[in-house]
Amino acid sequence: MTVIDVLIVDDDTRILESLSRALTGAGFGVRTADGADAALGQLSKAPSDIALVDLKMPGMDGLGLLGVLRQRLPNLDVVMMTAYDDLPTVAAAMGAGAVDFLVKPLDLTHLVRLVERIHEDRATRHRLPESRGSSETPRRLVGHDPAMIDVFKVVGQVAGTRTNVVIRGESGTGKELVAREIHLSSPYADEPFVAVNCTALPTTLLESELFGHTRGAFTGATGDRQGRFALAGRGTIFLDEIGDTAPEFQSKLLRVLQEHEYYPVGAERAERSEARVITATHQNLEQLVALGRFREDLYYRLRVVEICLPPLRDRMGDVPLLAEALLGKAGAAVGREGVLLAPEAVDALLDYSWPGNVRELENCLTRAVVTATGDVIRPQQLALGPPLTEARPRLTTLETVEREHVAHVLRAMKGHKARTAKVLGVSRPRLDRLIKKYALDNFPDR
């Protein structure tokens, strides 16, 4: 077993002795340095795995040393040690790359646990280099659930046309992403993609936003202004939450779809529109039509092609794929590329019901990346609600349940297929067919 090497940097000899005894007794290799210069001298001779660095030291202080270490030794995990009155400096230390901090007087039991946790994180990084989220954020949709495969097929079928599309699904399922994918897969991908949230503006302002207005059309209209339809050109205009719009706006949108023209607010002459219209809603449009809150003729105009996005709880097998992509996106956004999910964190994601769907998953992972004290995210850093087994029952297909169960047992058996087949109670050839059917062949064949 490899012994983890810890370098303790502090100008107080009593602290050096106390920490050395505690860590040596826990089985770690320990070296000490009484300042920044001594620490850099030690590290030039032999690298360490972890450095415990005091913030307040003569000469170069802890923050200065941290900056040098992050440049010279990016694989060295640095923990800052600070007194209570240094706490305002902690934010600067964490922002500069420290993985954690300890407050003096030190709790030696907590110290040992922290070093053990960092050791485990380092081992996880070593075991799972392929799990690092990519800093590149592809625009392509992610998923291999049968319901998502159906979505991909429809996107491919409608992308080359100018057909109106309505996208339905719960909030947070990725309706705008699907609309954007249709646009980017179309012959007009170089034209603008313009997204408008119809619930964000009252009807009068929504009309002005979409159709534009003339000078003097209303109070504050000091000049002519182009609307979103004009800005979209021959591209795509995406109207999110179309079910929340008022009937008077719906009649004007119907004219755009029928005649391909509209009147800017206050204008006497119509303008042409060549934009493709894609709409989305989380509401039941049929029920709104029955209640008289949505025009039936507009409903049929919009619903030439319908795409229904499944909630995340009904395609849980896609969670690891989504998590990897979203983790890379979050890491790139906050400058923390290479953050990993520990296997038990992935299990925690799979045990949660995700009422907020993909948007909630993205927010969860972004929060974890921002607040993580190391490069490995563990379940406690995800701040999830009750697990799936304690949440409301979910309705899903038998195939989805089968795929999730096979994937869960494969993970639990660490990819060992003979043991997986035994636990599932199926033959090895049957397991191989299931793995092929559900695209689970990323596990090693053992």
Side-chain angles (χ1 to χ4, degrees), residues 170-173 310-313 354-362:
E170 296 179 6
S171 295
T173 49
L312 186 53
R313 63 182 173 275
W354 300 111
N357 295 296
V358 180
R359 183 183 298 126
E360 184 184 9
L361 175 61
E362 181 173 10

Side-chain angles (χ1 to χ4, degrees), residues 162-238:
R162 302 293 280 175
T163 305
N164 296 331
V165 178
V166 62
I167 305 170
R168 305 174 74 161
E170 296 179 6
S171 295
T173 49
K175 296 186 287 293
E176 182 174 340
L177 182 61
V178 173
R180 192 177 295 273
E181 182 70 15
I182 293 172
H183 171 75
L184 292 173
S185 301
S186 76
Y188 301 92
D190 292 335
E191 294 285 330
F193 175 88
V194 179
V196 179
N197 185 341
C198 294
T199 62
L201 298 169
T203 299
T204 53
L205 291 181
L206 180 60
E207 290 181 19
S208 173
E209 186 72 18
L210 289 175
F211 306 137
H213 62 253
T214 62
R215 180 180 180 182
F218 50 83
T219 303
T222 57
D224 294 348
R225 181 177 181 273
Q226 281 191 320
R228 298 295 184 94
F229 271 98
L231 295 174
R234 302 181 71 194
T236 301
I237 187 159
F238 171 62

Side-chain angles (χ1 to χ4, degrees), residues 162-439:
R162 302 293 280 175
T163 305
N164 296 331
V165 178
V166 62
I167 305 170
R168 305 174 74 161
E170 296 179 6
S171 295
T173 49
K175 296 186 287 293
E176 182 174 340
L177 182 61
V178 173
R180 192 177 295 273
E181 182 70 15
I182 293 172
H183 171 75
L184 292 173
S185 301
S186 76
Y188 301 92
D190 292 335
E191 294 285 330
F193 175 88
V194 179
V196 179
N197 185 341
C198 294
T199 62
L201 298 169
T203 299
T204 53
L205 291 181
L206 180 60
E207 290 181 19
S208 173
E209 186 72 18
L210 289 175
F211 306 137
H213 62 253
T214 62
R215 180 180 180 182
F218 50 83
T219 303
T222 57
D224 294 348
R225 181 177 181 273
Q226 281 191 320
R228 298 295 184 94
F229 271 98
L231 295 174
R234 302 181 71 194
T236 301
I237 187 159
F238 171 62
L239 303 179
D240 197 11
E241 299 304 349
I242 192 67
D244 293 330
T245 57
E248 54 267 31
F249 169 78
Q250 294 170 19
S251 64
K252 295 179 180 179
L253 178 60
L254 180 63
R255 180 180 180 86
V256 179
L257 299 178
Q258 289 178 331
E259 308 296 335
H260 300 287
E261 62 179 30
Y262 60 91
Y263 285 88
V265 178
E268 296 180 356
R269 187 175 63 182
E271 295 188 8
R272 295 287 298 172
S273 170
E274 297 184 69
R276 177 190 198 155
V277 177
I278 299 178
T279 55
T281 182
H282 73 282
Q283 299 214 53
N284 186 322
L285 290 180
E286 293 79 9
Q287 187 176 36
L288 293 180
V289 169
L291 294 172
R293 291 167 51 191
F294 199 86
R295 292 182 63 113
E296 185 174 15
D297 47 3
L298 177 59
Y299 166 74
Y300 288 116
R301 278 283 178 180
L302 295 175
R303 193 177 169 269
V304 178
V305 174
E306 181 177 83
I307 296 177
C308 296
L309 290 181
L312 186 53
R313 63 182 173 275
D314 286 351
R315 57 177 186 118
M316 293 297 289
D318 286 343
V319 168
L321 282 175
L322 285 163
E324 183 177 352
L326 295 173
L327 200 62
K329 177 182 176 183
V334 301
R336 294 199 64 186
E337 291 91 343
V339 177
L340 319 166
L341 281 170
E344 57 268 29
V346 176
D347 289 339
L349 296 178
L350 289 167
D351 284 338
Y352 183 58
S353 60
W354 300 111
N357 295 296
V358 180
R359 183 183 298 126
E360 184 184 9
L361 175 61
E362 181 173 10
N363 292 341
C364 168
L365 293 172
T366 301
R367 180 175 60 248
V369 168
V370 170
T371 59
T373 55
D375 287 342
V376 179
I377 294 173
R378 300 196 175 278
Q380 59 269 28
Q381 295 168 311
L382 296 173
L384 296 174
L388 188 63
T389 52
E390 299 174 14
R392 60 184 178 182
R394 54 192 178 114
L395 302 178
T396 187
T397 65
L398 182 60
E399 277 197 341
T400 299
V401 173
E402 183 179 64
R403 185 192 185 285
E404 290 175 17
H405 184 58
V406 173
H408 175 73
V409 176
L410 267 171
R411 278 194 306 275
M413 296 297 106
K414 302 186 184 303
H416 198 297
K417 295 179 181 178
R419 294 175 186 168
T420 300
K422 185 176 181 180
V423 171
L424 292 172
V426 299
S427 66
R428 177 61 185 273
R430 169 63 176 161
L431 175 62
D432 288 338
R433 288 194 295 273
L434 289 171
I435 289 173
K436 183 177 180 180
K437 177 181 179 181
Y438 295 122

Side-chain angles (χ1 to χ4, degrees), residues 12-45:
D12 189 328
T13 56
R14 292 172 301 175
I15 290 179
L16 292 178
E17 293 171 358
S18 174
L19 301 190
S20 294
R21 284 195 300 270
L23 294 174
T24 301
F28 296 104
V30 177
R31 293 186 291 165
T32 62
D34 59 5
D37 291 339
L40 293 172
Q42 292 249 28
L43 293 170
S44 67
K45 297 175 183 177

